[in-house]
Amino acid sequence: MGIRAIALHLLAALWIGHGALAGDLSALARLDPAASRVVDAGAGIAIDLAISQAVPYRTFLLADPPRLVADFSEVDFGPSRPAALDRSERVHSLGWGPVREGWSRLVAELDGPYRIESAEERVAETGEAEIRLRLVPEEADRFAAATAGGVPEAARWALPEPVALAAPKRRQTGAAPLIVVLDPGHGGIDPGAEAGKAVEAEVMLVFARELAEVLRRGGMKVTLTRDEDVFVPLEARISVARAAGSDVFLSLHADALAEGEATGATVYLLADEASDTASAQLAERHDRADLLAGVDLSGQGDLVAAVMMEMARTETQPRADRLAGALVAAIKASGGRMHRHPIQEAAFSVLKSPDIPSVLLEVGFLSSEADRRRLADPVWRAGFQEAILAGLRAWAIADAAEAQLIRQ
Ligand SMILES: [Zn+2]
């Protein structure tokens, strides 16, 4: 990691102390989107963020695709979405949100290699602050050298704990409560799909909390991969499932599809390659979230590990297939609405646990007005959640029976 790529600006809090002008120190710093901007500056980019009080922050660059990352301790970005900000065409996308307790992150995807020419925080007499970042174009090889180290050590807290390659989990036999990990998709810097007032990350968090209660009442043990609006890297979601000793991993989504009139629930299974365009787009969008935050571990793992995982997957995949079938049957039996192709395959990283049957459930599509209405209806949700409980129960019984057969 070249020095140039990291600009660390951790301010001592001391100077805030002069006078009462600094305002309420315990209050969270808030971004004022109306006074903030991301604009062209000569051949480069100017990012000015108006915040209600000074905060420690740091910035760094990442490659593939080129991105500027800024971490703040801690900024409330409020209800406004990054898309609302006036934006330079040199910034392909802009995302912000909480990434970890006490930290917020902004990620700007750039149209090419840049370097951080300057980064400063100016504080007005009122205590309000402005963070001013200036990026200028950089030669490709210098940019590559500067970003070769990836995420700087100090910013690596977003990475999950390394997953120990323990023996594959013993499959459930029905002797103990079923352990279910629910994974509300997206969160924090990655809001997922947005349609009207509905934001996928929020809709799925509500749904997952309610579903957790339904499953617990049904005698299952439930863990959530996130229980607040925070960014959780995909690999960390899998780590949560392992740490919980999960029997089943259920990722919950409500995406928007641009093409066609997608409506109704869909169960996705892991595929090596996404089978059609819509599946490929979904997989791309979901896996992109990790790239955005600079966490991409997908290339990791040595050959031995890969072989071990492949062996485990050979037993796990048919179990996941049956799980998908059981969920679809239960949802249909409850009168719930399924997509006309209820079971599909896509290359979702989050489904890659080798020894935990994992499926991704699109509860509905936010792009469909009918689905949005259903998702907003607590009565409809309760019925759908009961159907998931019934599906999981039916699957667990059949799965345990098969486990007994294998063992004999
Ligand atoms: Zn999603």
Side-chain angles (χ1 to χ4, degrees):
M1 168 60 52
I3 288 286
R4 259 192 311 276
I6 318 172
L8 263 178
H9 321 269
L10 293 172
L11 298 178
L14 276 176
W15 58 269
I16 302 181
H18 50 77
L21 292 169
D24 181 0
L25 289 182
S26 63
L28 208 56
R30 282 183 326 276
L31 178 81
D32 178 359
S36 302
R37 54 196 202 121
V38 178
V39 293
D40 292 352
I45 302 164
I47 300 178
D48 295 332
L49 302 171
I51 47 178
S52 58
Q53 67 193 47
V55 290
Y57 73 104
R58 69 176 160 237
T59 56
F60 55 92
L61 293 163
L62 292 170
D64 303 320
R67 282 152 294 163
L68 168 79
V69 181
D71 287 339
F72 311 92
S73 157
E74 172 183 11
V75 172
D76 178 4
F77 287 102
S80 67
R81 293 280 156 195
L85 213 66
D86 277 344
R87 195 166 85 209
S88 157
E89 304 234 318
R90 295 169 187 159
V91 173
H92 285 168
S93 71
L94 193 64
W96 63 48
V99 283
R100 191 199 189 206
E101 180 85 49
W103 286 88
S104 312
R105 176 169 283 184
L106 175 144
V107 180
E109 189 180 325
L110 312 170
D111 66 346
Y114 288 82
R115 72 183 154 82
I116 300 168
E117 185 188 47
S118 66
E120 58 176 329
E121 184 163 37
R122 295 185 181 176
V123 187
E125 295 241 308
T126 56
E128 289 168 338
E130 187 178 48
I131 292 176
R132 301 164 64 107
L133 309 174
R134 294 293 175 270
L135 306 181
V136 292
E138 177 64 294
E139 285 168 32
D141 52 349
R142 285 187 164 190
F143 178 78
T147 54
V151 180
E153 201 60 47
R156 285 214 173 156
W157 36 254
L159 287 173
E161 291 295 310
V163 178
L165 279 167
K169 178 184 160 58
R170 290 188 60 143
R171 47 188 292 189
Q172 62 96 21
T173 59
L178 195 72
I179 303 171
V180 182
V181 167
L182 298 179
D183 173 45
H186 312 279
I189 195 172
D190 166 30
E194 297 174 72
K197 281 187 189 142
V199 178
E200 185 184 0
E202 293 168 10
V203 174
M204 285 302 101
L205 183 55
V206 169
F207 188 90
R209 284 175 176 158
E210 292 170 348
L211 177 58
E213 279 315 303
V214 169
L215 300 185
R216 283 180 189 129
R217 278 204 301 273
M220 298 175 184
K221 280 191 180 170
V222 185
T223 302
L224 268 61
T225 54
R226 68 178 178 94
D227 199 9
E228 55 186 329
D229 184 23
V230 67
F231 176 79
V232 181
L234 298 178
E235 309 286 340
R237 294 171 191 255
I238 291 178
S239 297
V240 169
R242 296 195 135 265
S246 170
D247 294 312
V248 177
F249 181 87
L250 188 54
S251 192
L252 299 164
H253 288 258
D255 281 277
L257 280 182
E259 292 160 24
E261 291 292 298
T263 174
T266 317
V267 181
Y268 279 88
L269 288 158
L270 178 67
D272 290 338
E273 299 289 336
S275 48
D276 66 32
T277 331
S279 299
Q281 279 173 0
L282 283 178
E284 151 95 357
R285 198 175 308 149
H286 287 139
D287 285 0
R288 192 130 187 91
D290 266 9
L291 278 175
L292 261 178
V295 182
D296 182 12
L297 302 181
S298 51
Q300 304 228 337
D302 60 21
L303 195 59
V304 176
V307 171
M308 273 181 64
M309 285 164 70
E310 212 38 59
M311 284 170 65
R313 208 190 305 281
T314 309
E315 182 177 341
T316 305
Q317 203 52 45
R319 297 176 64 211
D321 293 350
R322 286 194 297 272
L323 173 62
L327 287 172
V328 169
I331 292 166
K332 279 186 174 163
S334 78
R337 179 160 178 118
M338 294 298 306
H339 186 266
R340 63 197 159 84
H341 303 297
I343 299 180
Q344 301 195 34
E345 296 192 342
F348 294 124
S349 291
V350 79
L351 301 181
K352 284 182 181 165
S353 291
D355 53 353
I356 302 170
S358 305
V359 299
L360 185 146
L361 178 62
E362 295 278 357
V363 182
F365 289 95
L366 279 192
S367 41
S368 151
E369 205 187 315
D371 282 3
R372 277 207 303 278
R373 222 181 308 119
R374 282 190 276 265
L375 282 162
D377 176 3
V379 176
W380 180 87
R381 291 200 304 268
F384 199 92
Q385 288 150 359
E386 289 294 339
I388 294 175
L389 170 63
L392 283 172
R393 272 187 175 147
W395 171 81
I397 291 168
D399 183 66
E402 193 208 51
Q404 302 288 2
L405 278 178
I406 290 173
R407 223 149 267 159
Q408 279 164 14

